[in-house]
Amino acid sequence: MLNIVLFGPPGAGKGTHSVRLVEDYNLVHFSTGDILRSEIADRTELGLLAKKVMDKGELVPDDLVIGMMRNKIKQNKDAKGLVFDGFPRTTAQAEALDRLLAENDICVSAMIMLDVERQELIKRLQKRAETSGRSDDADINIIQNRIDVYNEQTLPIVDYYKKQNKFKRIEGVGSIETIFGRIQKVVETL
Ligand code: AMP
């Protein structure tokens, strides 16, 4: 199975390239952000809790996100592969992901990081706000906080995957085609 963690800061292009990976390699896409937003739209208990945190650009507690992923992985253990978009976001989540996959006799094939510098991310997220309808894209303070949270809480995961020899860094600037070409090159080595 081809199980890819597509990693990077908010605005790096994880969603865009996940869609391409899913199409080209026939994989199943898990975006924790999308799942949480649909919980909010359905006004579930989890959604109500998540909204308060997401509105500030903070992270939803690990146990909630991990619990959410447990069933999704189990239900899709016979797929050709999985793309994780926006998960894991903490080292505890990365450890949990390994455990959840091992329970189903599968593992992460690679963690692909889309590297984009801060000013470019801010520019992209402000542009995305015009069409995304996401309140966390529309407020510069929330954007700044999301990037800070990424640098402080999410970036340390790089070391976790480096130790497993699964870390692959990609330049996340250029045309969508160019960037996806870089991703394909990595995937073809797996
Ligand atoms: P995203 O759509 O990936 O930009 O996620 C939007 C928001 O959802 C984030 O700013 C977090 O508040 C929350 N979120 C998404 N994925 C996670 C995760 N793996 N762990 C904690 N919070 C998350």
Side-chain angles (χ1 to χ4, degrees):
M1 242 174 121
L2 184 62
N3 299 318
I4 295 170
V5 172
L6 197 55
F7 186 84
K14 300 186 295 294
T16 304
H17 293 292
S18 292
V19 171
R20 286 290 307 269
L21 276 172
V22 165
E23 283 170 7
D24 286 25
Y25 298 95
N26 199 13
L27 311 176
V28 176
H29 182 200
F30 295 135
S31 156
T32 39
D34 285 350
I35 300 168
L36 289 167
R37 280 183 289 276
S38 101
E39 294 280 341
I40 293 174
D42 293 345
R43 297 176 189 276
T44 65
E45 205 177 318
L46 169 61
L48 290 175
L49 229 149
K51 188 175 181 334
K52 290 192 194 131
V53 183
M54 290 165 77
D55 281 348
K56 290 187 274 182
E58 308 281 339
L59 295 184
V60 175
D62 285 336
D63 54 338
L64 295 185
V65 182
I66 293 163
M68 214 169 76
M69 295 308 279
R70 177 172 282 117
N71 284 336
K72 302 262 174 204
I73 291 170
K74 207 170 166 191
Q75 287 157 4
N76 289 280
K77 65 178 193 305
D78 297 323
K80 272 196 84 176
L82 311 172
V83 179
F84 295 96
D85 161 5
F87 177 84
R89 259 179 156 100
T90 61
T91 302
Q93 290 181 20
E95 288 165 355
L97 176 60
D98 277 352
R99 279 198 305 275
L100 295 179
L101 293 175
E103 281 168 19
N104 296 284
D105 294 319
I106 49 180
C107 64
V108 169
S109 312
M111 183 263 233
I112 303 178
M113 175 187 183
L114 294 166
D115 210 0
V116 180
E117 56 99 20
R118 191 180 187 102
Q119 280 317 310
E120 172 68 15
L121 295 172
I122 294 172
K123 207 172 83 190
R124 287 185 190 180
L125 290 169
Q126 287 184 315
K127 177 105 191 94
R128 188 169 82 181
E130 293 167 14
T131 52
S132 71
R134 282 177 56 170
S135 55
D136 60 347
D137 284 345
D139 182 324
I140 182 66
N141 294 318
I142 299 174
I143 291 178
Q144 297 276 16
N145 194 36
R146 284 157 70 202
I147 300 173
D148 290 342
V149 165
Y150 170 81
N151 286 330
E152 286 156 24
Q153 299 182 48
T154 305
L155 208 46
I157 301 182
V158 165
D159 283 335
Y160 181 82
Y161 287 103
K162 271 187 179 165
K163 281 186 194 136
Q164 296 189 8
N165 269 327
K166 291 181 178 171
F167 173 70
K168 315 274 177 190
R169 181 198 164 275
I170 278 182
E171 183 63 45
V173 183
S175 71
I176 291 178
E177 278 313 311
T178 305
I179 299 166
F180 191 68
R182 294 177 190 139
I183 294 176
Q184 275 177 314
K185 261 197 189 158
V186 171
V187 171
E188 258 123 59
T189 66
L190 300 174

